[in-house]
Amino acid sequence: MATLNHLERASRVLPGGVNSPVRAFRGVGGDPVFVRAAEGPWLIAEDGRRYIDYIGGYGPHILGHGYSEIAAAVSEALSRGTAFGAPTVAEIELAELVIDAIPSLEMVRLVNSGTEATMSALRVARAATGRDRFVKFEGCYHGHADPFLVAAGSGAATLGVPSSPGVPEAVTADTLLAPFNDLAAVQELFARHADIAAVFLEPIAGNMGLVLPQPGFLEGLRELCDRHGALLIFDEVMTGFRVAWGGAQEILGVLPDLTTFGKVIGGGLPTGAYGGRRDLMSMVAPAGPVYQAGTLSGNPLAVAAGLAALRQLDGSDAYERLEASGGSLQRGFEAAAQHHAIPLQVHRQGSMLGLFFTADEVHRVEDVDASDHDRFGRVFHHLLAAGVHLPPSPYECLFISLAHGEAEIAQTVESFDRALAAEKDHRKS
């Protein structure tokens, strides 16, 4: 009897062989790498092969994999217990640290994931305004809660249509869609609907590659929300503590009413949070009537990991070092593309990068859709064969850690250059 490979074996017991869709390599083809361990900037596969890692757990591993202080903190917390169903002092310390860092926060609630954070923040916004509708931008992903699972629409007047079976149309009927970076479309939505509770977005979009806000876009959203009595909510699950100590809102200079977090504040362990103005967060139970609960919220292991990670970043030169590494990688990618005359747009904010094989500017998800996905897949597999593991989709960001040194960046750029050389041969054939 033939021995099953890992994916075949997994597919017998897991839908698609994975526990999260992007891991299945459907965006690039082929079979996923099954990872046994990770250290520093490296992933180590079950077959022993080593890959320079640009997935980074999709954001949290700013310090690199297996960081000793995080491991020690989790080990110490584990020795005291895994879950108490009771408050701990460490939860207070993490909340204080997050509030101190993020400009718009006065109170936070710890939860278990980014999805929990976004669905809870929306509930608060609806309760605070007494309204039901909210604006979501095409290409922005806010977790898999039903109100956020809507297909890309055709413009500002489009109402949300469920993009997944099992999501009732009634649940997404109050989800209004607009193109990212299109302030006029949002203005039209406010003109059409007087009952918009919130505008909800990633201030730097990280779920369609990396798409940056155009000048004036976020400022315009802030003004529209203020004028119409709606709340502005930033999803900083990816960008919080990743692009800057104070998140995207610190570097972009626009403050939301509510913000959601995940990934980084747990040091790589499952956690999340939502927070904002005191008057809004005081509506959350038990202080107020807006119900939200979680048995494992503020889990001591995740809190310990998050505290250890954030304390390493606080007051350090981490973001200057990440900026330098990100800039070096971006310049290397762009130089290789220019050398081989292959159209490429490289978007970057600090240690987050997006690669788009197109000659056109990329400002919204339609632009990402129009980029060369086949070429992305071929380049992805050239790099994978060379020991460089990108996120397996043109709609995902690359993440750099402090563990990525000059040698890893140079190896990546060299491998990318060879991949684009192979693309020239593919084009000739």
Side-chain angles (χ1 to χ4, degrees):
M1 182 177 177
T3 302
L4 297 175
N5 67 28
H6 294 307
L7 184 60
E8 290 169 336
R9 180 184 174 193
S11 295
R12 290 188 170 189
V13 292
L14 302 171
V18 293
N19 282 308
S20 191
V22 73
R23 301 175 194 172
F25 273 36
R26 298 292 171 85
V28 293
D31 291 354
V33 174
F34 279 73
V35 175
R36 173 171 52 85
E39 57 183 23
W42 299 92
L43 295 177
I44 304 164
E46 283 288 348
D47 63 5
R49 286 203 65 189
R50 293 167 63 89
Y51 300 87
I52 302 174
D53 176 31
Y54 289 99
I55 302 173
Y58 292 101
H61 297 298
I62 298 177
L63 301 166
H65 293 285
Y67 197 77
S68 59
E69 281 79 358
I70 296 177
V74 172
S75 178
E76 195 277 331
L78 180 60
S79 72
R80 292 183 281 109
T82 59
F84 307 129
T88 65
V89 172
E91 294 171 72
I92 307 171
E93 294 172 347
L94 181 59
E96 290 172 340
L97 189 55
V98 171
I99 289 169
D100 184 62
I102 305 299
S104 66
L105 295 193
E106 294 179 327
M107 298 185 81
V108 298
R109 165 61 63 84
L110 301 182
V111 291
N112 295 289
S113 68
T115 293
E116 281 192 28
T118 55
M119 61 186 284
S120 302
L122 178 59
R123 184 177 299 161
V124 171
R126 285 170 161 169
T129 60
R131 305 170 182 175
D132 293 333
R133 297 188 192 274
F134 74 101
V135 177
K136 176 195 176 294
F137 292 91
E138 298 162 1
C140 284
Y141 177 71
H142 305 295
H144 62 268
D146 285 358
F148 297 108
L149 284 183
V150 295
S154 59
T158 304
L159 296 179
V161 176
S163 61
S164 172
V167 178
E169 289 189 12
V171 175
T172 59
D174 292 323
T175 305
L176 306 175
L177 292 173
F180 193 75
N181 274 320
D182 191 338
L183 187 60
V186 184
Q187 290 172 330
E188 182 180 346
L189 286 174
F190 272 106
R192 288 171 176 260
H193 305 282
D195 57 346
I196 295 176
V199 174
F200 211 121
L201 79 161
E202 299 173 88
I204 297 171
N207 286 283
M208 46 176 149
L210 183 75
V211 178
L212 301 169
Q214 290 292 99
F217 176 59
L218 297 180
E219 292 85 351
L221 294 180
R222 178 71 275 177
E223 191 277 329
L224 277 173
C225 287
D226 291 341
R227 189 196 319 163
H228 293 279
L231 300 186
L232 181 61
I233 305 177
F234 280 0
D235 179 345
E236 294 224 42
V237 168
M238 277 192 180
T239 57
F241 296 95
R242 164 55 79 167
V243 298
W245 176 246
Q249 58 194 260
E250 176 186 283
I251 56 179
L252 298 174
V254 176
L255 300 185
D257 300 294
L258 293 169
T259 307
T260 64
F261 302 93
K263 304 178 188 292
V264 180
I265 68 164
L269 272 66
T271 195
Y274 62 103
R277 298 193 332 241
R278 185 173 301 276
D279 63 310
L280 297 174
M281 294 305 296
S282 294
M283 298 183 67
V284 177
V290 179
Y291 193 76
Q292 180 269 312
T295 300
L296 293 178
S297 295
N299 177 266
L301 302 185
V303 168
L307 279 170
L310 295 185
R311 284 168 175 164
Q312 291 297 310
L313 296 172
D314 187 10
S316 72
D317 64 349
Y319 297 101
E320 289 81 1
R321 291 164 57 194
L322 290 168
E323 174 66 27
S325 295
S328 180
L329 189 62
Q330 179 181 12
R331 290 189 295 273
F333 285 160
E334 291 173 337
Q338 184 176 12
H339 175 71
H340 294 290
I342 289 179
L344 177 69
Q345 303 289 332
V346 183
H347 288 193
R348 183 177 67 85
Q349 185 67 61
S351 57
M352 296 174 64
L353 290 90
L355 297 178
F356 308 103
F357 286 102
T358 177
D360 300 322
E361 293 185 352
V362 177
H363 298 307
R364 61 195 62 182
V365 72
E366 288 88 349
D367 302 330
V368 183
D369 294 339
S371 67
D372 194 335
H373 293 188
D374 290 339
R375 172 167 281 165
F376 181 94
R378 292 191 298 269
V379 170
F380 171 89
H381 281 289
H382 276 292
L383 289 171
L384 194 67
V388 178
H389 201 320
L390 302 186
S393 168
Y395 293 91
E396 301 289 350
C397 284
L398 284 69
F399 293 95
I400 303 171
S401 77
L402 291 169
H404 286 78
E406 293 181 3
E408 288 78 24
I409 298 295
Q411 181 179 334
T412 301
V413 170
E414 181 180 349
S415 299
F416 189 77
D417 183 79
R418 291 199 300 267
L420 294 195
E423 273 298 290
K424 291 175 67 176
D425 294 338
H426 177 87
R427 186 169 50 191
K428 292 175 183 177
S429 65

